[in-house]
């Protein structure tokens, strides 16, 4: 579905991002895999190359909230692969700190990665996507619908992701660039295994499809939205959550 496409995926070292890189490669794309640290990026790239030595994947670890570093990475991807068709803004962190314990540092950390990096990466990639009539895909969350009991900035950051998705889709449509988001429900990754069992088990009981999501469930939605099969879809937030909103 992505034969010949070139993709940049942030937060690609584990969880949803790693599986998205893997599914993109299996579907014929070449991928720039981004992570926060050289060590984890090298490990993730090695794991993929061990699975299939023919996978065309290269690792990067820019600070995603710094325009200069991200611009250098995009230029390096273009130099290596000749173009960029797809950006997946997936890197993100969550927390459930109650308001009165919430520090300014935590506020800055969450908003820098979950909001600012989406802005910085999107801005840096547009000159390339203009040439390919490409696509920006953001990672929202089911909590962007109705918030969460504590940890105010995580859902707030995903409301911002939805806002950027809806606004940029309108701003960039005249350039032929599509902008969509995938809003995962609870998905089996490190982010979720960090939560106590007492929190997760009752949540799973509320999911109509009766199970937690797997990273591949989310990756498949990214593959579809990145592909030409979705060429008339923009400004959409696709919920992949077993209907956990109902
Ligand atoms: P994860 O913790 O397994 O992986 C997070 C990824 O982000 C890693 O690749 C990590 O390298 C990267 N990252 C973390 N801090 C970074 C930083 N400072 N700079 C650059 N990269 C950094 O998380 P996940 O569960 O796979 O989540 C991926 C995305 O999906 C996030 O945006 C998250 O908010 C969203 N999401 C996850 C769930 C879920 O239940 N797991 C649900 C809804 C939305």
């Amino acid at each position: 579905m992505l034969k010949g496409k070139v993709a940049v995926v942030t937060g690609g070292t584990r969880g949803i991002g790693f599986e998205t890189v893997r599914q993109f490669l299996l579907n014929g794309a070449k991928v720039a895999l981004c992570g926060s640290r050289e060590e984890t990026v090298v490990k993730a790239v090695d794991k993929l190359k061990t699975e299939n030595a023919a996978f065309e994947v290269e690792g990067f670890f820019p600070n995603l909230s710094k325009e200069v570093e991200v611009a250098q990475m995009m230029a390096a991807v273009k130099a290596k692969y000749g173009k960029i068709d797809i950006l997946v803004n997936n890197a993100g962190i969550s927390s459930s700190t109650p308001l009165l314990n919430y520090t300014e540092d935590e506020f800055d950390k969450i908003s820098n990665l979950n909001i600012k990096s989406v802005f910085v990466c999107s801005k840096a990639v547009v000159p390339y996507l203009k040439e390919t009539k490409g696509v920006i895909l953001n990672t929202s969350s089911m909590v962007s619908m109705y918030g969460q009991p504590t940890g105010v900035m995580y859902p707030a950051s995903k409301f911002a992701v939805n806002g950027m998705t809806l606004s940029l889709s309108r701003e960039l449509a005249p350039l032929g660039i599509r902008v969509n988001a995938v809003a995962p429900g609870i998905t089996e990754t490190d982010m979720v295994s960090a939560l106590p069992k007492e929190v997760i088990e009752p949540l799973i009981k509320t999911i109509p499809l009766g199970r937690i999501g797997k990273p591949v469930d989310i990756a498949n939605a990214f593959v579809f939205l990145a592909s030409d099969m979705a060429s008339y879809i923009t400004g959409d937030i696709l919920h992949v959550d077993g209907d956990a909103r109902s």
Side-chain angles (χ1 to χ4, degrees), residues 18 23 42 73 76 89 98 122 132 136 196 211 243:
F18 179 79
Q23 292 301 325
V42 169
M73 176 193 66
N89 285 310
S122 300
T132 54
I136 296 173
R211 68 167 175 91
D243 202 20

Side-chain angles (χ1 to χ4, degrees), residues 60-180:
F60 295 88
F61 40 93
N63 181 333
L64 296 176
S65 57
K66 298 275 180 234
E67 281 200 322
V68 174
E69 288 189 35
V70 172
Q72 281 168 352
M73 176 193 66
M74 297 295 179
V77 176
K78 160 94 177 176
K80 175 146 182 93
Y81 294 125
K83 60 170 184 164
I84 305 174
D85 300 281
I86 302 157
L87 166 67
V88 181
N89 285 310
N90 167 75
I93 40 172
S94 86
S95 84
S96 51
T97 308
L99 181 63
L100 295 184
N101 298 337
Y102 221 103
T103 60
E104 263 186 80
D105 271 357
E106 192 168 351
F107 178 101
D108 289 343
K109 228 171 126 186
I110 297 242
S111 47
N112 271 336
L113 186 64
N114 296 13
I115 306 174
K116 190 177 175 192
S117 81
V118 175
F119 163 80
V120 168
C121 294
S122 300
K123 186 178 165 195
V125 83
V126 162
Y128 304 99
L129 298 188
K130 225 162 75 173
E131 293 170 0
T132 54
K133 305 231 178 291
V135 54
I136 296 173
L137 300 174
N138 297 324
T139 311
S140 179
S141 166
M142 67 177 185
V143 303
S144 74
M145 300 281 291
Y146 44 71
Q148 64 186 32
T150 56
V152 62
M153 281 315 294
Y154 180 67
S157 72
K158 296 303 185 180
F159 274 74
V161 167
N162 290 359
M164 286 188 280
T165 304
L166 298 182
S167 298
L168 287 178
S169 66
R170 293 168 66 178
E171 183 172 344
L172 301 177
L175 301 176
I177 298 172
R178 298 185 295 112
V179 186
N180 293 296

Side-chain angles (χ1 to χ4, degrees), residues 38-53:
E38 180 171 11
E39 189 193 341
T40 51
V41 167
V42 169
K43 216 168 131 191
V45 170
D46 283 352
K47 197 168 163 192
L48 290 161
K49 296 253 194 203
T50 307
E51 180 179 333
N52 185 342

